[in-house]
Coordinates of all heavy atoms in Angstrom, one line a residue:
Y154 N -54.9 8.7 -77.8 CA -53.5 9.0 -77.4 C -53.4 9.7 -76.1 O -52.6 9.4 -75.2 CB -53.0 10.0 -78.5 CG -51.5 10.4 -78.1 CD1 -50.5 9.5 -78.5 CD2 -51.2 11.6 -77.5 CE1 -49.3 10.0 -78.1 CE2 -50.0 12.0 -77.2 CZ -48.9 11.2 -77.5 OH -47.6 11.6 -77.2
D155 N -54.3 10.8 -75.9 CA -54.3 11.5 -74.6 C -54.7 10.6 -73.4 O -54.1 10.6 -72.3 CB -55.3 12.6 -74.6 CG -55.0 13.7 -75.6 OD1 -53.8 13.8 -75.9 OD2 -55.8 14.5 -75.9
N156 N -55.6 9.5 -73.7 CA -56.0 8.7 -72.6 C -54.9 7.8 -72.3 O -54.6 7.4 -71.1 CB -57.3 7.8 -73.1 CG -57.9 7.0 -72.0 OD1 -57.3 6.1 -71.4 ND2 -59.0 7.6 -71.6
A157 N -54.1 7.1 -73.4 CA -53.0 6.3 -73.1 C -52.0 7.0 -72.3 O -51.3 6.4 -71.4 CB -52.5 5.7 -74.4
E158 N -51.6 8.3 -72.5 CA -50.7 9.0 -71.9 C -50.9 9.1 -70.4 O -50.1 9.1 -69.5 CB -50.5 10.4 -72.7 CG -49.1 11.0 -72.1 CD -48.9 12.2 -73.0 OE1 -49.8 13.1 -73.2 OE2 -47.8 12.5 -73.5
I159 N -52.2 9.6 -70.2 CA -52.5 9.7 -68.7 C -52.7 8.5 -68.0 O -52.2 8.4 -66.8 CB -54.0 10.5 -68.7 CG1 -53.9 12.0 -69.3 CG2 -54.4 10.7 -67.3 CD1 -55.1 12.6 -69.6
M160 N -53.2 7.4 -68.6 CA -53.3 6.2 -67.9 C -51.8 5.6 -67.6 O -51.8 5.0 -66.5 CB -54.1 5.2 -68.7 CG -54.3 3.8 -68.0 SD -55.1 3.9 -66.4 CE -56.7 4.1 -66.8
D161 N -51.0 5.9 -68.4 CA -49.7 5.3 -68.1 C -49.1 6.0 -66.8 O -48.6 5.5 -65.9 CB -48.7 5.6 -69.2 CG -47.2 5.2 -68.9 OD1 -47.0 4.0 -68.8 OD2 -46.3 6.1 -69.0
K162 N -49.4 7.3 -66.6 CA -48.9 8.0 -65.5 C -49.8 7.5 -64.2 O -49.1 7.3 -63.1 CB -49.3 9.5 -65.7 CG -48.4 10.2 -66.6 CD -48.7 11.7 -66.7 CE -47.9 12.4 -67.9 NZ -48.2 13.7 -68.0
V163 N -51.0 7.2 -64.4 CA -51.9 6.8 -63.3 C -51.4 5.4 -62.8 O -51.2 5.2 -61.6 CB -53.3 6.7 -63.8 CG1 -54.2 6.0 -62.7 CG2 -53.9 8.0 -63.9
Q164 N -51.0 4.5 -63.7 CA -50.6 3.2 -63.3 C -49.3 3.2 -62.7 O -49.1 2.5 -61.7 CB -50.6 2.2 -64.5 CG -52.1 1.9 -65.0 CD -52.0 0.7 -66.0 OE1 -51.0 0.0 -66.0 NE2 -53.1 0.6 -66.7
K165 N -48.4 4.1 -63.1 CA -47.1 4.2 -62.5 C -47.2 4.8 -61.0 O -46.5 4.4 -60.2 CB -46.3 5.1 -63.4 CG -45.7 4.5 -64.7 CD -44.7 5.5 -65.4 CE -44.2 4.7 -66.7 NZ -43.4 5.7 -67.5
S166 N -48.1 5.7 -60.9 CA -48.3 6.2 -59.6 C -48.9 5.4 -58.6 O -48.5 5.2 -57.4 CB -49.3 7.5 -59.7 OG -50.6 7.0 -59.9
I167 N -49.8 4.5 -59.1 CA -50.3 3.3 -58.3 C -49.1 2.3 -57.9 O -49.1 1.9 -56.8 CB -51.5 2.5 -59.0 CG1 -52.6 3.4 -59.2 CG2 -51.9 1.3 -58.2 CD1 -53.7 3.0 -60.0
L168 N -48.4 1.9 -58.8 CA -47.3 1.0 -58.5 C -46.3 1.6 -57.5 O -45.7 0.7 -56.8 CB -46.6 0.6 -59.9 CG -47.3 -0.1 -60.9 CD1 -46.6 -0.3 -62.2 CD2 -47.9 -1.5 -60.4
N169 N -46.1 2.8 -57.6 CA -45.3 3.5 -56.7 C -45.8 3.5 -55.2 O -44.9 3.8 -54.3 CB -45.0 5.0 -57.0 CG -44.1 5.2 -58.2 OD1 -43.3 4.2 -58.6 ND2 -44.2 6.1 -59.1
Q170 N -47.1 3.2 -55.1 CA -47.7 3.0 -53.8 C -47.4 1.8 -53.1 O -48.0 1.3 -52.0 CB -49.0 3.3 -53.8 CG -49.5 4.8 -54.1 CD -48.9 5.8 -53.2 OE1 -49.3 5.6 -52.0 NE2 -48.4 6.8 -53.6
G171 N -46.6 0.7 -53.9 CA -46.3 -0.6 -53.4 C -47.2 -1.6 -53.8 O -47.1 -2.8 -53.3
I172 N -48.1 -1.3 -54.8 CA -49.0 -2.3 -55.4 C -48.2 -3.2 -56.6 O -47.4 -2.6 -57.2 CB -50.2 -1.7 -56.0 CG1 -51.0 -0.8 -55.0 CG2 -51.1 -2.7 -56.7 CD1 -51.4 -1.6 -53.8
A173 N -48.4 -4.5 -56.3 CA -47.8 -5.3 -57.2 C -48.5 -5.1 -58.7 O -49.7 -5.0 -58.7 CB -48.0 -6.8 -56.8
K174 N -47.6 -5.3 -59.8 CA -48.2 -5.1 -61.1 C -49.4 -6.0 -61.5 O -50.2 -5.6 -62.2 CB -46.9 -5.3 -62.1 CG -47.3 -4.9 -63.5 CD -45.9 -4.9 -64.3 CE -46.4 -4.3 -65.9 NZ -45.1 -4.3 -66.6
D175 N -49.4 -7.3 -61.0 CA -50.5 -8.1 -61.3 C -51.9 -7.9 -60.5 O -52.6 -8.5 -60.8 CB -50.0 -9.7 -61.1 CG -49.6 -9.8 -59.6 OD1 -49.6 -8.9 -58.9 OD2 -49.4 -11.1 -59.3
C176 N -51.7 -6.9 -59.7 CA -52.9 -6.4 -59.0 C -53.6 -5.4 -59.6 O -54.5 -4.7 -59.1 CB -52.5 -6.1 -57.5 SG -52.0 -7.5 -56.5
V177 N -53.0 -4.8 -60.7 CA -53.6 -3.7 -61.5 C -54.0 -4.3 -62.8 O -53.0 -4.6 -63.7 CB -52.6 -2.5 -61.7 CG1 -53.2 -1.4 -62.4 CG2 -52.1 -2.1 -60.3
T178 N -55.3 -4.3 -63.2 CA -55.7 -4.9 -64.4 C -56.8 -3.9 -65.1 O -57.4 -3.2 -64.4 CB -56.4 -6.3 -64.1 OG1 -57.5 -6.2 -63.2 CG2 -55.4 -7.2 -63.5
T179 N -56.8 -4.1 -66.4 CA -57.8 -3.3 -67.1 C -59.2 -3.9 -67.0 O -59.4 -5.1 -67.3 CB -57.3 -3.3 -68.6 OG1 -56.1 -2.7 -68.8 CG2 -58.4 -2.4 -69.4
E180 N -60.2 -3.1 -66.5 CA -61.5 -3.7 -66.3 C -62.4 -3.4 -67.5 O -63.2 -4.2 -67.8 CB -62.0 -3.0 -65.0 CG -63.6 -3.3 -64.7 CD -63.5 -4.7 -64.0 OE1 -62.4 -5.5 -63.9 OE2 -64.6 -5.2 -63.6
N181 N -62.2 -2.4 -68.1 CA -62.9 -1.9 -69.4 C -62.3 -0.7 -70.2 O -61.6 0.0 -69.7 CB -64.3 -1.6 -68.9 CG -65.2 -1.2 -70.1 OD1 -65.3 -2.0 -71.1 ND2 -65.9 0.0 -70.1
Y182 N -62.3 -0.9 -71.6 CA -61.8 0.1 -72.4 C -62.9 0.3 -73.4 O -63.4 -0.6 -74.2 CB -60.6 -0.4 -73.0 CG -59.9 0.8 -73.9 CD1 -59.0 1.6 -73.2 CD2 -60.2 1.0 -75.2 CE1 -58.3 2.5 -74.0 CE2 -59.6 1.9 -76.0 CZ -58.7 2.8 -75.4 OH -58.2 3.8 -76.1
S183 N -63.3 1.6 -73.7 CA -64.4 1.9 -74.6 C -64.2 3.2 -75.3 O -63.5 4.1 -74.8 CB -65.8 1.9 -73.8 OG -65.9 3.0 -73.0
V184 N -64.8 3.2 -76.5 CA -64.6 4.4 -77.4 C -66.0 4.7 -77.8 O -66.7 3.9 -78.3 CB -63.7 4.3 -78.6 CG1 -63.7 5.5 -79.5 CG2 -62.4 3.9 -78.2
F185 N -66.3 6.0 -77.5 CA -67.8 6.4 -77.7 C -67.8 7.7 -78.6 O -67.1 8.7 -78.2 CB -68.6 6.5 -76.5 CG -70.0 6.9 -76.7 CD1 -70.9 6.0 -77.0 CD2 -70.3 8.2 -76.4 CE1 -72.3 6.4 -77.2 CE2 -71.7 8.8 -76.5 CZ -72.7 7.7 -76.9
Q186 N -68.6 7.7 -79.6 CA -68.7 9.0 -80.4 C -69.8 9.8 -79.8 O -71.1 9.3 -79.7 CB -69.1 8.7 -81.9 CG -69.0 9.9 -82.7 CD -69.4 9.7 -84.2 OE1 -70.2 8.8 -84.6 NE2 -68.7 10.3 -85.1
E187 N -69.5 10.9 -79.3 CA -70.5 11.9 -78.7 C -71.2 12.7 -79.7 O -70.6 12.9 -80.8 CB -69.9 12.8 -77.7 CG -69.2 12.0 -76.6 CD -68.7 12.8 -75.4 OE1 -68.1 13.8 -75.8 OE2 -69.0 12.5 -74.3
S188 N -72.3 13.1 -79.5 CA -73.2 14.0 -80.4 C -74.1 14.9 -79.6 O -74.4 14.8 -78.4 CB -74.0 13.0 -81.5 OG -74.9 12.3 -80.7
R189 N -74.8 15.8 -80.4 CA -75.6 16.8 -79.8 C -76.9 16.8 -80.6 O -76.7 16.6 -82.0 CB -75.1 18.2 -79.5 CG -74.7 18.9 -80.8 CD -74.1 20.2 -80.6 NE -73.6 20.9 -81.7 CZ -74.3 21.6 -82.6 NH1 -75.6 21.7 -82.4 NH2 -73.6 22.1 -83.7
Y190 N -78.1 16.9 -80.1 CA -79.3 17.0 -80.9 C -79.5 18.5 -81.3 O -79.7 19.3 -80.4 CB -80.3 16.4 -80.0 CG -81.7 16.1 -80.8 CD1 -81.6 14.9 -81.6 CD2 -82.8 17.0 -80.5 CE1 -83.0 14.8 -82.2 CE2 -84.0 16.8 -81.3 CZ -83.9 15.6 -82.1 OH -85.2 15.3 -82.8
D191 N -79.8 18.6 -82.6 CA -80.0 19.9 -83.1 C -80.9 19.9 -84.3 O -80.6 19.2 -85.3 CB -78.7 20.7 -83.5 CG -79.0 22.1 -83.8 OD1 -80.1 22.7 -83.5 OD2 -78.0 22.7 -84.5
N192 N -82.2 20.5 -84.2 CA -83.2 20.4 -85.3 C -83.4 19.2 -85.8 O -83.4 18.9 -87.0 CB -82.6 21.4 -86.4 CG -82.5 22.9 -86.1 OD1 -83.3 23.4 -85.2 ND2 -81.6 23.6 -86.5
G193 N -83.5 18.2 -84.8 CA -84.0 16.9 -85.3 C -83.0 16.0 -85.8 O -83.3 14.9 -86.2
Q194 N -81.7 16.4 -85.6 CA -80.6 15.6 -86.1 C -79.5 15.5 -84.9 O -79.3 16.4 -84.2 CB -79.9 16.3 -87.3 CG -80.8 16.3 -88.5 CD -80.0 16.9 -89.8 OE1 -79.1 17.8 -89.7 NE2 -80.3 16.4 -91.0
N195 N -78.9 14.3 -85.0 CA -77.7 14.1 -84.1 C -76.3 14.6 -84.7 O -76.1 14.0 -85.8 CB -77.6 12.6 -83.6 CG -78.8 12.2 -82.7 OD1 -79.1 13.0 -81.8 ND2 -79.2 11.0 -82.9
I196 N -75.8 15.5 -84.2 CA -74.6 16.0 -84.9 C -73.3 15.7 -84.0 O -73.2 16.0 -82.9 CB -74.6 17.6 -85.0 CG1 -75.9 18.1 -85.8 CG2 -73.4 18.2 -85.4 CD1 -76.0 19.5 -85.7
P197 N -72.4 14.9 -84.6 CA -71.2 14.5 -84.0 C -70.4 15.5 -83.4 O -70.2 16.6 -84.0 CB -70.4 13.6 -85.0 CG -71.4 13.4 -86.0 CD -72.6 14.4 -86.0
T198 N -70.0 15.4 -82.2 CA -69.3 16.5 -81.5 C -67.8 16.1 -81.1 O -67.0 16.9 -80.7 CB -70.0 17.0 -80.3 OG1 -70.0 16.1 -79.3 CG2 -71.2 17.7 -80.6
G199 N -67.5 14.8 -81.3 CA -66.2 14.4 -80.8 C -66.3 12.9 -80.3 O -67.2 12.2 -80.5
Y200 N -65.2 12.5 -79.7 CA -65.1 11.2 -79.2 C -64.7 11.2 -77.7 O -64.0 11.9 -77.3 CB -64.1 10.3 -80.0 CG -64.4 10.1 -81.5 CD1 -64.2 11.0 -82.4 CD2 -65.1 8.8 -81.7 CE1 -64.6 10.7 -83.8 CE2 -65.5 8.5 -83.0 CZ -65.3 9.5 -84.0 OH -65.7 9.3 -85.2
R201 N -65.3 10.1 -77.0 CA -64.9 10.0 -75.6 C -64.3 8.7 -75.5 O -64.9 7.5 -75.8 CB -66.2 10.1 -74.8 CG -65.9 9.9 -73.3 CD -67.1 10.1 -72.3 NE -68.1 8.9 -72.4 CZ -69.2 8.9 -72.8 NH1 -69.7 10.0 -73.2 NH2 -70.0 7.9 -72.7
V202 N -63.1 8.6 -74.8 CA -62.5 7.4 -74.7 C -62.3 7.1 -73.1 O -61.8 7.9 -72.4 CB -60.9 7.3 -75.2 CG1 -60.3 6.0 -74.7 CG2 -61.1 7.4 -76.7
T203 N -62.7 5.9 -72.6 CA -62.7 5.5 -71.2 C -61.8 4.3 -71.1 O -62.1 3.2 -71.6 CB -64.1 5.3 -70.7 OG1 -65.0 6.3 -70.9 CG2 -64.1 4.8 -69.1
N204 N -61.0 4.4 -70.1 CA -60.0 3.3 -69.8 C -60.2 3.2 -68.2 O -59.9 3.8 -67.5 CB -58.5 3.6 -70.0 CG -57.7 2.4 -70.0 OD1 -58.1 1.3 -69.4 ND2 -56.5 2.4 -70.5
Q205 N -60.8 1.9 -68.0 CA -61.1 1.6 -66.4 C -60.1 0.5 -66.0 O -60.0 -0.5 -66.5 CB -62.5 1.2 -66.4 CG -63.0 1.1 -64.9 CD -64.4 0.7 -65.0 OE1 -64.9 -0.4 -65.3 NE2 -65.4 1.6 -64.5
V206 N -59.6 0.9 -64.8 CA -58.6 -0.2 -64.2 C -59.1 -0.7 -62.8 O -59.9 0.2 -62.1 CB -57.2 0.4 -64.0 CG1 -56.6 0.6 -65.4 CG2 -57.2 1.6 -63.2
K207 N -58.8 -1.8 -62.6 CA -59.2 -2.3 -61.2 C -57.9 -2.6 -60.4 O -57.0 -3.3 -60.8 CB -60.1 -3.6 -61.4 CG -60.4 -4.2 -60.1 CD -61.5 -5.3 -60.3 CE -60.8 -6.5 -61.0 NZ -61.8 -7.6 -61.0
V208 N -58.0 -2.2 -59.2 CA -56.7 -2.2 -58.3 C -57.0 -3.1 -57.1 O -57.9 -2.7 -56.3 CB -56.2 -0.9 -57.9 CG1 -54.8 -1.1 -57.0 CG2 -56.0 0.1 -59.1
F209 N -56.5 -4.3 -56.8 CA -56.5 -5.0 -55.7 C -55.7 -4.6 -54.6 O -54.4 -4.7 -54.9 CB -56.4 -6.5 -56.0 CG -56.7 -7.3 -54.8 CD1 -58.1 -7.6 -54.2 CD2 -55.7 -8.0 -54.3 CE1 -58.2 -8.4 -53.2 CE2 -55.9 -8.9 -53.2 CZ -57.1 -9.1 -52.5
V210 N -56.1 -4.2 -53.5 CA -55.2 -3.7 -52.4 C -55.2 -4.7 -51.2 O -56.4 -4.9 -50.6 CB -55.7 -2.2 -52.0 CG1 -54.7 -1.7 -51.0 CG2 -55.8 -1.3 -53.2
K211 N -54.1 -5.1 -50.9 CA -53.9 -6.1 -49.7 C -53.7 -5.3 -48.4 O -54.1 -6.0 -47.3 CB -52.9 -7.1 -49.8 CG -53.0 -7.8 -51.2 CD -51.9 -8.9 -51.3 CE -52.0 -9.6 -52.5 NZ -50.9 -10.5 -52.8
D212 N -53.3 -4.1 -48.4 CA -53.1 -3.3 -47.2 C -54.2 -2.2 -47.3 O -54.1 -1.3 -47.9 CB -51.7 -2.7 -47.2 CG -51.4 -1.9 -46.0 OD1 -52.2 -1.9 -45.1 OD2 -50.5 -1.2 -46.1
I213 N -55.1 -2.4 -46.2 CA -56.2 -1.4 -46.1 C -55.7 0.0 -45.9 O -56.3 0.9 -46.4 CB -57.2 -1.9 -45.0 CG1 -57.9 -3.1 -45.4 CG2 -58.2 -0.8 -44.6 CD1 -58.9 -3.0 -46.6
D214 N -54.7 0.1 -45.2 CA -54.3 1.5 -44.7 C -53.6 2.2 -46.0 O -53.5 3.5 -45.9 CB -53.1 1.3 -43.7 CG -53.6 0.9 -42.4 OD1 -54.9 0.9 -42.1 OD2 -52.8 0.2 -41.6
S215 N -53.3 1.6 -47.0 CA -52.8 2.3 -48.3 C -53.8 2.7 -49.2 O -53.6 3.4 -50.3 CB -51.9 1.4 -48.9 OG -52.4 0.2 -49.5
V216 N -55.2 2.5 -49.0 CA -56.3 2.8 -49.8 C -56.4 4.3 -50.1 O -56.4 4.7 -51.3 CB -57.6 2.3 -49.4 CG1 -58.7 2.8 -50.2 CG2 -57.7 0.8 -49.4
S217 N -56.4 5.0 -49.0 CA -56.4 6.4 -49.2 C -55.2 7.0 -50.2 O -55.5 7.9 -51.1 CB -56.4 7.2 -47.9 OG -56.5 8.5 -48.0
G218 N -54.1 6.5 -49.9 CA -52.8 7.0 -50.7 C -53.1 6.7 -52.2 O -52.5 7.4 -53.0
I219 N -53.4 5.5 -52.4 CA -53.6 5.1 -53.8 C -54.5 5.9 -54.5 O -54.3 6.3 -55.7 CB -54.0 3.5 -53.8 CG1 -52.9 2.6 -53.3 CG2 -54.5 3.2 -55.2 CD1 -53.3 1.3 -53.0
I220 N -55.7 6.0 -53.9 CA -56.7 6.9 -54.6 C -56.1 8.4 -54.8 O -56.4 8.8 -55.9 CB -58.1 7.1 -53.7 CG1 -58.7 5.6 -53.7 CG2 -59.0 8.1 -54.3 CD1 -59.9 5.7 -52.7
D221 N -55.6 9.0 -53.8 CA -55.1 10.2 -54.0 C -53.8 10.3 -55.2 O -53.9 11.3 -56.0 CB -54.4 10.9 -52.7 CG -55.5 11.2 -51.7 OD1 -56.7 11.3 -52.1 OD2 -55.2 11.2 -50.5
A222 N -53.1 9.3 -55.2 CA -51.9 9.2 -56.3 C -52.6 9.3 -57.5 O -52.2 9.8 -58.5 CB -51.0 8.0 -55.9
A223 N -53.6 8.3 -57.7 CA -54.3 8.2 -59.0 C -54.9 9.4 -59.5 O -54.9 9.8 -60.7 CB -55.3 7.0 -58.9
L224 N -55.6 10.0 -58.6 CA -56.4 11.3 -58.9 C -55.4 12.4 -59.4 O -55.5 13.2 -60.3 CB -57.2 11.7 -57.9 CG -58.5 10.7 -57.5 CD1 -59.3 11.4 -56.2 CD2 -59.4 10.7 -58.7
N225 N -54.3 12.4 -58.5 CA -53.4 13.5 -58.8 C -52.6 13.2 -60.2 O -51.9 14.2 -60.6 CB -52.4 13.6 -57.7 CG -52.9 14.2 -56.4 OD1 -53.7 15.2 -56.6 ND2 -52.5 13.7 -55.3
S226 N -52.5 12.0 -60.6 CA -51.9 11.6 -61.9 C -52.8 11.7 -63.1 O -52.3 11.6 -64.1 CB -51.3 10.2 -61.8 OG -50.5 10.0 -60.6
G227 N -54.0 12.0 -62.9 CA -54.9 12.2 -64.0 C -56.3 11.3 -63.9 O -57.1 11.6 -64.9
A228 N -56.4 10.4 -63.3 CA -57.6 9.6 -63.1 C -58.8 10.6 -62.7 O -58.4 11.5 -61.9 CB -57.5 8.6 -62.1
N229 N -59.9 10.5 -63.5 CA -60.9 11.6 -63.2 C -62.2 10.9 -62.8 O -63.3 11.5 -62.9 CB -61.0 12.4 -64.3 CG -61.1 11.7 -65.7 OD1 -61.4 10.6 -65.8 ND2 -60.6 12.5 -66.7
Q230 N -62.3 9.6 -62.7 CA -63.5 9.0 -62.0 C -63.2 7.8 -61.3 O -62.4 7.0 -61.6 CB -64.4 8.5 -63.1 CG -65.7 7.9 -62.7 CD -66.8 7.7 -63.8 OE1 -67.2 8.6 -64.4 NE2 -67.0 6.5 -64.2
L231 N -63.7 7.8 -60.1 CA -63.6 6.7 -59.1 C -64.9 6.0 -59.1 O -65.9 6.4 -58.6 CB -63.3 7.1 -57.7 CG -63.3 6.1 -56.6 CD1 -62.1 4.9 -56.8 CD2 -62.9 6.7 -55.2
S232 N -65.1 4.8 -59.7 CA -66.2 4.1 -59.9 C -66.8 3.4 -58.7 O -68.0 3.4 -58.3 CB -66.2 3.2 -61.1 OG -65.9 3.9 -62.3
S233 N -66.0 2.6 -58.1 CA -66.3 1.9 -56.9 C -65.3 1.6 -56.0 O -64.1 1.5 -56.4 CB -67.0 0.7 -57.4 OG -66.1 -0.3 -57.9
L234 N -65.4 1.4 -54.7 CA -64.7 1.0 -53.7 C -65.4 -0.2 -52.8 O -66.3 0.0 -52.3 CB -64.2 2.2 -52.7 CG -63.4 1.8 -51.5 CD1 -62.1 1.3 -51.9 CD2 -63.2 3.1 -50.8
Q235 N -64.6 -1.4 -53.0 CA -65.2 -2.6 -52.5 C -64.2 -3.2 -51.5 O -63.2 -3.5 -51.8 CB -65.7 -3.6 -53.6 CG -66.2 -4.8 -53.1 CD -66.6 -5.9 -54.1 OE1 -66.5 -5.5 -55.2 NE2 -66.9 -7.0 -53.8
Y236 N -64.8 -3.4 -50.2 CA -64.0 -4.0 -49.1 C -64.2 -5.6 -49.0 O -65.4 -6.0 -49.4 CB -64.1 -3.4 -47.9 CG -63.6 -2.0 -47.7 CD1 -64.4 -0.9 -47.8 CD2 -62.2 -1.8 -47.5 CE1 -63.8 0.4 -47.9 CE2 -61.7 -0.6 -47.4 CZ -62.6 0.6 -47.6 OH -62.1 1.8 -47.5

Side-chain angles (χ1 to χ4, degrees):
Y154 177 83
D155 291 345
N156 195 290
E158 193 173 48
I159 297 172
M160 179 54 76
D161 181 61
K162 295 178 181 178
V163 169
Q164 292 195 14
K165 285 180 179 178
S166 71
I167 293 172
L168 297 177
N169 287 338
Q170 295 296 311
I172 301 298
K174 192 172 183 179
D175 59 355
C176 289
V177 182
T178 57
T179 300
E180 182 75 355
N181 182 50
Y182 187 91
S183 64
V184 178
F185 179 77
Q186 185 178 38
E187 297 184 316
S188 62
R189 60 182 175 83
Y190 189 76
D191 188 15
N192 293 327
Q194 293 183 332
N195 286 321
I196 302 175
T198 58
Y200 290 86
R201 180 178 75 238
V202 176
T203 302
N204 191 347
Q205 187 177 72
V206 294
K207 182 168 65 176
V208 184
F209 180 70
V210 185
K211 298 179 182 179
D212 180 11
I213 289 291
D214 294 334
S215 65
V216 171
S217 178
I219 292 169
I220 292 175
D221 289 337
L224 295 178
N225 286 327
S226 299
N229 45 25
Q230 182 170 293
L231 173 62
S232 301
S233 69
L234 172 58
Q235 179 180 351
Y236 290 99

